[in-house]
Amino acid sequence: MNTATPAEGARCLVTGASGYIGGRLVPELLGAGHRVRCLARHPDKLRDFPWADRVETVRGDVTDAASLREAFAGVDVAYYLVHSMSSTPDFEATDRLAARTFAAEARAAGVRRIVYLGGLVPRGVPERELSPHLRSRTEVGRILLDSGVPTTVLRAAVVIGSGSASFEMLRYLTERLPVMVTPSWVGSRVQPIAVRDVLRYLVGSAGMPPDVNRTFDIGGPDVLTYREMMERYAEVAGLRRRLIVPVPVLTPRLSSQWIGLVTPVPASLAKPLTESLRHEVVCTEHDITRHVPDAPGAPVPFVEALRLALRRVRDAQVTTRWSSASPPGAPSDPLPTDPDWAGGSLYTDERARTVEASAESLWRVIEGVGGENGWYSFPLAWAVRGWADRLVGGVGLRRGRRDAARLRVGDALDFWRVEEIDRGRLLRLRAEMRLPGLAWLEMAVDRDERGRTSYRQRALFHPRGLAGQAYWWSVSPFHAVVFGGMARNIARTAETENGRRVAP
């Protein structure tokens, strides 16, 4: 990373470190010689990141002033990388409260600079006509600029990088639909930016002089319509030319539902992305270079950004994904067997099988569940459950995996999230599909009384109200097929893999 006036050795606080940008920013800051402290509501989500042992992690929340006081102690530069992606009526109020709390505590702690990544605002469009999410991003930036702490607000449009929501949306729409009936916003001009340039500007902003307190538009060298972006993607990916027919009747709401059906990006996330494309989002200045000069080859051209992202996807080197952050409303209640659980009804389905394979072979199968490998039982039932979740606004089954072989705490795994992993022994997943209750799935490697490898599987459901009770009893007749088949097939797969490894 090249910066104009690097504040080398600064202590940087990073919020949103488990998210797409934050998870990539931390190692860049460390590489630039900074010390990093991460603020996280659930610090365990950061423990498996490759940089976890090089940073300080504190528990807290941007809406909690007390936790921010501890987090800001001794901090020079604070990165504000949290956003509410909820569609609930009060999300703007939540964003406003968080920004005001963060700004006040940063000023009280004597923080030297705040750095915020927001959204590029279309030129000449009144704020009242912006989408709710883009309007909220603009308001957050204004609150931070008025905080009394010198603030850098970076405004980006479409971020292109392996695992970004914008890239995944572009990728799946183009790959899966050779003929597309598209909304009119495919004709809107956009100035995309490579994620590596976003990170370069974020790191460089730490060294800006104290008299800088302003917004900066950041973008790549290309201005394209979304249609042209899809056409360029098809060329880079080696696909046939796509037939794209725009129609005026697809509103942002309908567009988001359509994207939710075709891509892994759920409608709840697609909606703010598509709403921001109703207008042209093009940079009006490139003043950032006064403080963070562009290195040779930067900013990265759009086609090169696509090539880099595709290479990382194909090489399974995606470090963070859009799904790294939990969706709005994701449960955070304790596991019902935890000591502080409040009690109530608890239903379980437990399975155990002796496996004629090594513990290592069994664990490889367990850690590889989901994504392209599926769930080892009744694929149609899993697919139907995923589609049903999509129809009610959930994340569905197609979020896939960040890495095909290894998981870490906090990873999204289809409509689950990794809550606990004791490598070689236990994988615990928490359900993030829409349910009238809370659900977990545990898969474990054990030994039976004769010392043989044993597979243990446990599904838990804590119902909420009558609807939760009805849900459990309506699906329980299928458990023998779904969960019983899963245990049986995981054991068989481990035995088959083990046989291949020991064969001469």
Side-chain angles (χ1 to χ4, degrees):
M1 286 289 174
N2 294 317
T3 62
T5 55
E8 195 164 323
R11 184 182 296 280
C12 300
L13 176 71
V14 177
T15 63
S18 64
Y20 178 72
I21 293 292
R24 298 185 180 212
L25 175 62
V26 169
E28 296 291 342
L29 290 170
L30 292 170
H34 299 302
R35 293 163 292 162
V36 177
R37 178 183 295 159
C38 298
L39 177 74
R41 286 179 294 172
H42 306 288
D44 279 352
K45 284 189 177 182
L46 303 180
R47 76 180 194 203
D48 292 332
F49 279 79
W51 40 259
D53 60 351
R54 301 170 58 199
V55 305
E56 179 187 359
T57 303
V58 296
R59 184 184 300 274
D61 188 274
V62 290
T63 61
D64 179 5
S67 66
L68 284 175
R69 287 183 204 118
E70 177 186 353
F72 277 133
V75 164
D76 301 302
V77 181
Y79 286 88
Y80 193 81
L81 303 175
V82 292
H83 295 302
S84 171
M85 294 306 291
S86 170
S87 297
T88 57
D90 62 346
F91 87 89
E92 290 183 82
T94 301
D95 279 351
R96 188 179 305 118
L97 170 64
R100 286 175 176 169
T101 305
F102 190 88
E105 294 304 323
R107 182 177 64 249
V111 171
R112 182 170 56 78
R113 176 161 298 278
I114 295 172
V115 182
Y116 169 60
L117 178 61
L120 191 58
V121 177
R123 179 170 42 188
V125 177
E127 193 169 313
R128 65 180 180 277
E129 295 181 17
L130 298 177
S131 70
H133 283 86
L134 189 53
R135 186 170 61 238
S136 180
R137 303 292 182 268
T138 303
E139 182 184 18
V140 166
R142 188 163 55 245
I143 290 169
L144 298 177
L145 286 166
D146 293 341
S147 66
V149 178
T151 296
T152 301
V153 174
L154 303 179
R155 304 193 300 188
V158 172
V159 177
I160 300 298
S162 59
S164 76
S166 296
F167 173 73
E168 295 278 278
M169 195 169 88
L170 176 68
R171 172 190 171 199
Y172 281 93
L173 286 175
T174 310
E175 289 185 354
R176 291 181 173 175
L177 297 175
V179 179
M180 286 178 266
V181 176
T182 59
S184 58
W185 51 253
V186 298
S188 298
R189 296 199 312 154
V190 183
Q191 191 162 353
I193 182 170
V195 67
R196 61 176 53 194
D197 284 321
V198 174
L199 296 172
R200 184 169 58 84
Y201 292 137
L202 284 168
V203 174
S205 295
M208 286 187 179
D211 61 338
V212 175
N213 185 65
R214 57 163 291 185
T215 64
F216 294 92
D217 292 353
I218 58 173
D222 303 294
V223 176
L224 307 160
T225 65
Y226 203 87
R227 175 178 184 148
E228 290 171 331
M229 289 167 62
M230 290 191 286
E231 291 171 343
R232 302 258 178 111
Y233 180 91
E235 292 174 11
V236 171
L239 304 172
R240 292 181 179 179
R241 185 176 179 85
R242 270 35 194 162
L243 178 61
I244 302 170
V245 183
V247 294
V249 296
L250 285 175
T251 64
R253 181 179 178 82
L254 288 174
S255 298
S256 64
Q257 295 296 332
W258 166 65
I259 290 167
L261 290 173
V262 176
T263 81
V265 180
S268 58
L269 179 55
K271 189 170 187 287
L273 293 176
T274 56
E275 282 178 335
S276 67
L277 296 171
R278 285 186 302 167
H279 308 285
E280 290 191 349
V281 276
V282 177
C283 296
T284 59
E285 42 83 11
H286 194 48
D287 296 347
I288 187 72
T289 55
R290 298 176 187 172
H291 307 286
V292 190
D294 287 332
V300 177
F302 176 70
V303 168
E304 181 60 19
L306 289 180
R307 289 198 182 101
L308 290 168
L310 277 171
R311 188 181 309 148
R312 284 194 168 273
V313 169
R314 290 166 180 168
D315 293 345
Q317 294 181 341
V318 181
T319 55
T320 61
R321 290 185 75 215
W322 59 270
S323 56
S324 298
S326 297
S332 58
D333 301 53
L335 185 73
T337 51
D338 288 350
D340 57 351
W341 184 54
S345 300
L346 176 64
Y347 297 114
T348 63
D349 180 280
E350 298 190 52
R351 312 274 168 174
R353 295 188 67 87
T354 299
V355 183
E356 299 297 330
S358 67
E360 292 75 17
S361 293
L362 177 56
W363 176 253
R364 276 191 291 270
V365 178
I366 290 173
E367 194 173 4
V369 298
E372 295 297 323
N373 291 329
W375 292 90
Y376 293 96
S377 72
F378 204 179
L380 179 60
W382 287 92
V384 169
R385 185 65 186 86
W387 280 107
D389 192 53
R390 284 263 171 160
L391 290 174
V392 296
V395 295
L397 194 65
R398 293 181 309 184
R399 288 191 299 185
R401 304 170 51 110
R402 177 191 56 83
D403 186 286
R406 285 181 68 84
L407 295 171
R408 64 188 181 206
V409 170
D411 270 357
L413 181 57
D414 293 329
F415 50 38
W416 306 89
R417 188 169 298 274
V418 179
E419 182 174 87
E420 181 57 68
I421 185 167
D422 183 354
R423 208 162 300 282
R425 293 189 63 251
L426 171 72
L427 174 64
R428 181 191 300 147
L429 308 176
R430 178 191 288 270
E432 288 189 340
M433 74 281 279
R434 296 293 178 92
L435 287 170
L438 304 172
W440 291 261
L441 177 62
E442 289 185 340
M443 292 166 277
V445 178
D446 204 349
R447 295 282 181 184
D448 65 15
E449 64 279 359
R450 295 170 56 185
R452 297 174 299 181
T453 303
S454 175
Y455 172 68
R456 297 190 182 280
Q457 178 181 294
R458 183 170 68 143
L460 304 97
F461 183 67
H462 180 209
R464 284 183 177 149
L466 185 59
Q469 300 281 347
Y471 173 82
W472 174 262
W473 292 113
S474 67
V475 300
S476 58
F478 302 100
H479 285 176
V481 175
V482 175
F483 290 131
M486 183 178 181
R488 184 169 57 252
N489 292 328
I490 283 178
R492 285 177 180 171
T493 304
E495 290 168 347
T496 301
E497 179 185 310
N498 190 79
R500 290 198 196 101
R501 289 180 177 271
V502 301

